[in-house]
Amino acid sequence: MPAGPRRLGAAAAAIALLSGCGAAEGLSAAAPDASPAPDAGTCAAVPAAQAPAPTSVPAGMGTTAEDGEFPREVAHFGGTSTIDHRPERIVVVATGQLDGVLSLGTVPVGAAGVPGAGLVPGYVTHAFPDDADALAGIASVGTREDLNIERIADLDPDLVLANEAGAGGGLYGQLAEIAPTVLTEGNGVNWQQDFRLVAAALGETDRAEEVLAGYRAHAARIAGAVADAPPSVSMVRFSAGRTRVWGLASFTGSVANDAGLARPRPQCVEDTSVDVSAEDVDRMDGDWIFYSVQGGGAETDAGTVLDGSLWDGLAAVRAGRAVAVEDDPWFLNAGPAAAELVLTDLERVAEE
C-alpha cells in the first residue's frame, strides 16, 4: 500500500527555512562535489551551474539600489519600473509569489487563485501562523488565468507582481497603469531567480539571501546523506484530465537536483512535465515515488491507477516507497517555503 501524506509541521519548516536549519538531525551537512555515476535507468544530479534551473537574476535585471533605499528602479522581464516607496499594498497574481512575499515579511492585500484550489494554500497558512489573520483578509483578484483588473485597481496597490509566462504578462500594460508592476519570468524551475527579483522590488535582497542560504544548507545535508548511492525519485501528479510525471526543468525537479537525488530515466527530460496515460504506469517508477492528487481526485485517473495491478507491481510500491504528498507546495506554488516543505518530504529517502 502507498504511504500516506507525511505531515511534519509546516510551521517548523518555515522557521527552519529562515534560520538556515531544516533537515532532520543526523543528516550530513557535507554535499558531494560530484554525483556518482548513475545506473542506466537513472540520471544523476548535476552541479547547479549545469542544471536547467537558473538561480541568479539575469544580467541587466534587478536593481542597483541598496535595501531600504527608495525610490528605486527595478529592471525585470517586462521592462523597468520605478517604485517610489517601500511597498505596503502588494497584489500578487502569479504562482509562488504569495509564498515569496510572505517569506520576505510582507502580507499582500490581494492575490490570484488557482481553479480548484484555495486562494491561500493550506501549507502557506501553516508555514506562516503569525500572519493567519492577515492571510484570511487577502482579497481575491480572480484566477491566475482570468484576472479581474477592476478588482486589482479597487485595492489601490502600490506594487503588482506578475509572471511573464502567465496571464499577467499579457496584461502588463493594464497592470502598469494601476501601479508599478514587476514581471518575473515564471515557470516553477525559475523560482530562485524570480524570488531574488521580487526581493529587489521590495528592497529585501539581504533577507532573500538568508532564506536561500537556509534552503541550500538543507538541500546539502540531504545530498551529503545520500552521496554514496543517491536513490532515484519519481514525481507524479494526478490532476483533472491529466496525469503527468515531472521533469528536470520543473520546480520539484530543481529541488531534487539540489538535494543530490537521481531521477528515473523516463523523467530525465528538460521539460516541466510529460503526460502519461493509465497504461504508462511503468514511467512512474523509481526507487521512490512522490505523488499528489489535486482536489478530491474525482476527475483524475488517480483511483484507476492507484487501485490497479500495474501500480501495485512498481518496485517503489512493492517496497513501500510510494509517498502521497501535498499538491500545492509540490506542484502549484514555486516559492521558498514550498521548497522547504519538498525538502522535508525528500528527507525520507535519506533516512533508510
Side-chain angles (χ1 to χ4, degrees), residues 142-170:
T143 68
R144 294 167 186 174
E145 294 77 22
D146 186 19
L147 296 178
N148 189 319
I149 297 296
E150 291 184 1
R151 196 173 298 169
I152 293 174
D154 289 344
L155 289 173
D156 191 27
D158 49 20
L159 177 66
V160 176
L161 297 172
N163 279 345
E164 181 188 45

Side-chain angles (χ1 to χ4, degrees), residues 14-20 66-68 72 86 99-107 127-128 130-131 191-192 195-200 202-216 336-337:
I15 294 170
L17 171 67
L18 297 176
S19 67
E66 298 292 331
D67 278 1
R72 63 177 46 220
R86 183 182 297 277
D99 181 329
V101 296
L102 286 166
S103 296
L104 295 172
T106 300
V107 179
F128 301 96
D130 292 343
D131 295 320
W191 74 274
Q192 293 189 61
F195 178 55
R196 284 188 163 105
L197 192 52
V198 167
L202 272 60
E204 293 285 357
T205 59
D206 286 347
R207 185 166 184 169
E209 293 309 312
E210 292 176 5
V211 170
L212 290 174
Y215 162 80
R216 289 193 301 272

Side-chain angles (χ1 to χ4, degrees), residues 27-337:
L27 296 187
S28 169
D33 293 331
S35 297
D39 64 50
T42 66
C43 55
V46 298
Q50 299 173 22
T55 58
S56 301
V57 173
M61 293 192 187
T63 185
T64 58
E66 298 292 331
D67 278 1
E69 179 184 341
F70 292 91
R72 63 177 46 220
E73 287 193 346
V74 180
H76 52 85
F77 285 89
T80 300
S81 299
T82 300
I83 302 172
D84 291 328
H85 56 82
R86 183 182 297 277
E88 297 178 350
R89 297 185 59 79
I90 301 172
V91 170
V92 295
V93 300
T95 299
Q97 290 178 345
L98 175 59
D99 181 329
V101 296
L102 286 166
S103 296
L104 295 172
T106 300
V107 179
V109 297
V114 175
L119 181 64
V120 179
Y123 89 90
V124 168
T125 303
H126 292 139
F128 301 96
D130 292 343
D131 295 320
D133 290 342
L135 288 171
I138 294 176
S140 171
V141 295
T143 68
R144 294 167 186 174
E145 294 77 22
D146 186 19
L147 296 178
N148 189 319
I149 297 296
E150 291 184 1
R151 196 173 298 169
I152 293 174
D154 289 344
L155 289 173
D156 191 27
D158 49 20
L159 177 66
V160 176
L161 297 172
N163 279 345
E164 181 188 45
L171 298 173
Y172 174 70
Q174 295 180 59
L175 294 172
E177 289 181 1
I178 297 171
T181 298
V182 170
L183 290 188
T184 56
E185 186 171 8
N187 294 324
V189 70
N190 301 310
W191 74 274
Q192 293 189 61
Q193 159 201 285
D194 287 354
F195 178 55
R196 284 188 163 105
L197 192 52
V198 167
L202 272 60
E204 293 285 357
T205 59
D206 286 347
R207 185 166 184 169
E209 293 309 312
E210 292 176 5
V211 170
L212 290 174
Y215 162 80
R216 289 193 301 272
H218 190 173
R221 286 189 284 272
I222 297 174
V226 302
D228 290 341
S232 64
V233 293
S234 169
M235 301 169 183
V236 182
R237 185 180 190 230
F238 297 95
S239 58
R242 299 182 76 181
T243 298
R244 287 173 283 174
V245 294
W246 247 243
L248 303 177
S250 66
F251 169 62
T252 45
S254 73
V255 175
N257 185 79
D258 289 343
L261 300 170
R263 301 297 307 282
R265 183 60 61 183
Q267 299 173 30
C268 296
V269 294
E270 292 199 6
D271 293 307
T272 300
S273 63
V274 177
D275 286 83
V276 296
S277 71
E279 291 73 38
D280 290 329
V281 174
D282 59 315
R283 301 179 68 180
M284 303 178 187
D285 208 0
D287 292 325
W288 288 81
I289 301 173
F290 294 86
Y291 70 93
S292 77
V293 181
Q294 185 180 26
E299 298 180 3
T300 75
D301 286 336
T304 300
V305 173
L306 299 179
D307 292 334
S309 60
L310 294 177
W311 174 265
D312 289 340
L314 297 179
V317 177
R318 294 198 311 270
R321 293 177 172 177
V323 184
V325 294
E326 292 184 71
D327 190 60
D328 278 314
W330 271 74
F331 299 113
L332 280 179
N333 293 274

